[in-house]
């Protein structure tokens, strides 16, 4: 097949739109920006731009699988905990739209000081991820992190956010329910039904974001109800926020062309409390990404990723988080599970398509108008989207228990106690933080951020209990989990898929001492090189085995 001809059914960037749009909109409230939609649009454009850069880095030099990069909800929980500290709570006047002047120096300093603090914490924490990845330490850590640690950690990424989702959806339950209905209809009931779209070759069938389609239809309905004055025009009346003309002026104010740049909000600042909190999010993100690598390889028909590819992938994700902190997205980057799941629908695992997707994200990020359009989405639509997305994230966390013997009282105790403690302890600390004061401000902030981050509390307890309470490898789920990650594969195929591009692997990784670097592909032995079939050198894709989906292949042209 030609690697330059892309089927019109491949639209990877739209698979990540839900998360890329939702994260800045959730953060905007804690950054005191809920009444400044223009800046919200700039944040959305920035996260699109950085996601495009990180996607290109990951596909070309990271794990080398067709996997999209984007914002991570794992950073959201510690970020909200950090911004809830007394010195970072929003002043009361920023909650009143009539008192907010978005162009005043005082207001700009209020939100930018919080963003700079967040940037510094993300950049320092990303250095930890870079070290873990490029040093090969991730392999050592994974010996002690099993499904019983991962399940409560990922589950508690979303569970504590039920207040945010409920408040947004509760601004107009009718519109939120309609949003959920359309998203569920298109993503579940009609998920395998392609939509015919016009192209230069006639009509082509296309799979694209069901989330985007559900939001668009509900948005149009809200527009019609606004024009017909079905929604109240008094801001004090319930349902007013569902109107589409509340933020209408943001489209006229936003520039057509705006390039995000590092340090656009000022020089980042650093605090210990923020760093420790974000590191908890980094660990959760790394563990989830390793699972995404294996899932992506399985669905795209590639061999399981070797250690050097996983090390590079985690290291490049750390670089992505560093860039996200420098640019000021208010978040980090991680591999997108939504993109991995879409491989099973589109039947294509192509690096070329994901590279094209990264370029599209870059272009979207440079358009101020597109960011403004997303920032003008009515609040109830975002609430409906969050209810769906947080529910899925919770279920993804629980799904890790499929490897564990849940008939074991040991495992039931560890999972149940970790989840409950991860909800109860942060709730108590938020109400009684003065009890934990030591008199040392920095230490008090670190303790409060960590203990109000449910993901850290639950994950830490699960980690300690799973590694100290006696239990067999099979009972803990470690055997079943490792079996999915240790499939034997032809060494030549592994090298072709996961080798470095542009001749880097053959020119710079041939020295004997380089072979010991954790990120360098291992050379084929002389005997295996002779036995390698000539056809493999010309092959551009790998057909999946009989035990996998037979129609999926991975394009290895880059």
């Amino acid at each position: 097949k030609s690697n330059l001809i892309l089927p019109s059914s491949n639209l990877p960037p739209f698979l990540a739109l839900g998360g890329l749009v939702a994260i800045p909109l959730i953060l905007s409230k804690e950054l005191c920006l809920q009444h400044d939609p223009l800046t919200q649009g700039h944040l959305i454009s920035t996260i699109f731009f950085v996601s495009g850069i990180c996607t290109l880095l990951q596909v070309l030099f990271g794990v080398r699988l067709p996997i999209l990069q984007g914002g991570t909800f794992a950073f959201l929980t510690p970020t909200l905990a950090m911004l809830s500290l007394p010195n970072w709570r929003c002043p009361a006047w920023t909650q009143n739209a009539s008192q907010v002047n978005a162009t005043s120096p005082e207001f700009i300093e209020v939100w930018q000081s919080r963003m700079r603090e967040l940037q510094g914490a993300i950049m320092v924490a990303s250095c930890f991820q870079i070290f873990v990845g490029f040093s090969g330490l991730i392999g050592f850590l994974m010996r002690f992190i099993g499904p019983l640690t991962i399940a409560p950690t990922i589950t508690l990424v979303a569970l504590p956010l039920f207040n945010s989702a409920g408040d947004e959806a509760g601004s107009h339950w009718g519109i939120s329910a309609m949003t959920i209905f359309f998203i569920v209809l298109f993503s579940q009931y009609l998920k395998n039904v392609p939509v015919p779209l016009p192209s230069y070759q006639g009509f082509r069938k296309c799979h694209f974001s069901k989330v985007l389609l559900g939001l668009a239809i509900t948005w149009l309905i809200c527009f019609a109800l606004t024009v017909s004055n079905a929604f109240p025009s008094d801001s004090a009346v319930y349902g007013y926020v569902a109107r589409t003309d509340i933020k209408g002026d943001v489209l006229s104010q936003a520039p057509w062309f705006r390039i995000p740049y590092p340090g656009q909000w000022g020089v980042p600042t650093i605090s210990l409390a923020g760093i420790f909190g974000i590191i908890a999010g980094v660990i959760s993100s790394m563990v989830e990404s390793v699972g995404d690598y294996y899932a992506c390889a399985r669905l795209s028909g590639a061999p399981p990723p070797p250690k050097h590819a996983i090390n590079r992938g985690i290291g490049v994700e750390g670089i992505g988080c560093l860039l996200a902190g420098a640019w000021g997205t208010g978040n980090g980057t991680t591999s997108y599970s939504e993109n991995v799941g879409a491989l099973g629908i589109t039947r294509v695992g192509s690096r070329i398509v994901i590279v094209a997707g990264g370029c599209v994200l870059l272009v979207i990020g440079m358009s101020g108008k597109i960011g403004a359009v997303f920032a003008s989405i009515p609040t109830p639509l975002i609430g409906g989207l969050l209810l769906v997305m947080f529910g899925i994230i919770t279920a993804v966390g629980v799904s890790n228990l499929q490897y564990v013997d849940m008939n074991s009282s040991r495992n039931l105790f560890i999972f149940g106690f970790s989840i409950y403690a991860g909800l109860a302890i942060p709730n108590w600390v938020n109400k009684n933080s003065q009890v934990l004061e030591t008199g040392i401000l920095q230490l008090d902030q670190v303790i409060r951020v960590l203990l109000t981050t449910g993901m850290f509390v639950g994950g830490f307890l699960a980690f300690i209990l799973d590694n100290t309470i006696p239990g067999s490898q099979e009972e803990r789920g470690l055997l079943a989990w490792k079996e999915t990650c240790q499939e034997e594969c032809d060494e030549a195929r592994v090298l072709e898929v996961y080798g470095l591009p542009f001749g880097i692997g053959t020119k710079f990784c041939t020295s004997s001492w380089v072979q010991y670097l954790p990120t360098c592909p291992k050379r084929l032995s002389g005997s295996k090189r002779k036995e390698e079939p000539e056809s493999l050198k010309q092959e551009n894709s790998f057909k999946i085995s009989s035990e996998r989906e037979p129609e999926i292949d991975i394009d290895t042209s880059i």
Side-chain angles (χ1 to χ4, degrees), residues 335-384:
S335 298
Y336 255 45
S337 302
E338 294 93 332
N339 167 240
V340 174
L343 291 174
I345 298 176
T346 61
R347 293 292 192 264
V348 174
S350 172
R351 288 188 192 135
I352 292 289
V353 172
I354 302 300
V355 167
C359 294
V360 171
L361 290 175
L362 284 173
V363 173
I364 292 176
M366 291 187 289
S367 173
K369 294 292 185 184
I370 296 179
V373 167
F374 288 122
S376 64
I377 297 176
T379 302
L381 272 72
I382 298 298

Side-chain angles (χ1 to χ4, degrees), residues 12 71 73 94 144 161 171 188 301 322 394 499 509:
F73 285 98
T94 62
F144 305 98
L161 299 174
S171 59
Q188 302 301 319
L322 184 66
T394 302
C509 293

Side-chain angles (χ1 to χ4, degrees), residues 27 29 47 116 159 168 175 188 244 268 283 322 355 418 514:
L27 282 176
K29 185 176 181 180
I47 198 170
R116 291 195 295 267
L159 278 184
E168 301 289 303
I175 297 301
Q188 302 301 319
T244 57
I283 294 173
L322 184 66
V355 167
S418 300
V514 176

Side-chain angles (χ1 to χ4, degrees), residues 157-299:
V157 167
L159 278 184
L161 299 174
F162 71 91
N163 260 333
S164 298
D167 291 343
E168 301 289 303
S171 59
H172 195 299
W173 278 109
I175 297 301
S176 297
M178 188 184 303
T179 304
I180 294 171
F181 169 77
F182 283 119
I183 292 176
V184 172
L185 175 66
F186 295 129
S187 66
Q188 302 301 319
Y189 292 101
L190 304 177
K191 63 181 178 181
N192 294 320
V193 179
V195 179
L197 291 180
S199 68
Y200 66 93
Q201 294 179 338
F203 280 85
R204 301 290 297 275
K205 292 183 177 181
C206 171
H207 289 279
F208 58 93
S209 177
K210 310 302 189 295
V211 172
L212 181 63
L213 184 58
L215 284 177
I217 293 176
T218 312
W219 204 347
L220 288 175
I221 294 174
C222 286
F223 175 75
L225 294 175
T226 300
V227 171
S228 62
N229 286 321
F231 293 133
S233 55
D234 183 357
S235 60
V237 179
Y238 179 81
Y240 170 77
V241 293
R243 297 182 66 93
T244 57
D245 57 0
I246 298 176
K247 306 175 183 178
D249 58 341
V250 69
L251 290 176
S252 59
Q253 296 174 3
W256 279 102
F257 189 74
R258 178 185 179 275
I259 300 179
Y261 57 91
Q264 57 185 331
W265 318 128
V267 179
T269 56
I270 297 174
S271 69
L272 285 178
I275 293 171
F276 280 101
I278 298 297
I279 284 179
V282 164
I283 294 173
S284 173
S285 176
M286 287 192 296
V287 172
E288 186 179 5
S289 291
V290 172
D292 287 339
Y293 297 160
Y294 284 106
C296 183
R298 184 175 66 253
L299 288 172

Side-chain angles (χ1 to χ4, degrees), residues 374-398:
F374 288 122
S376 64
I377 297 176
T379 302
L381 272 72
I382 298 298
L385 173 64
L386 294 181
L387 286 176
V388 173
M389 294 189 68
F390 290 162
I392 293 174
I393 294 171
T394 302
V396 168
V398 175

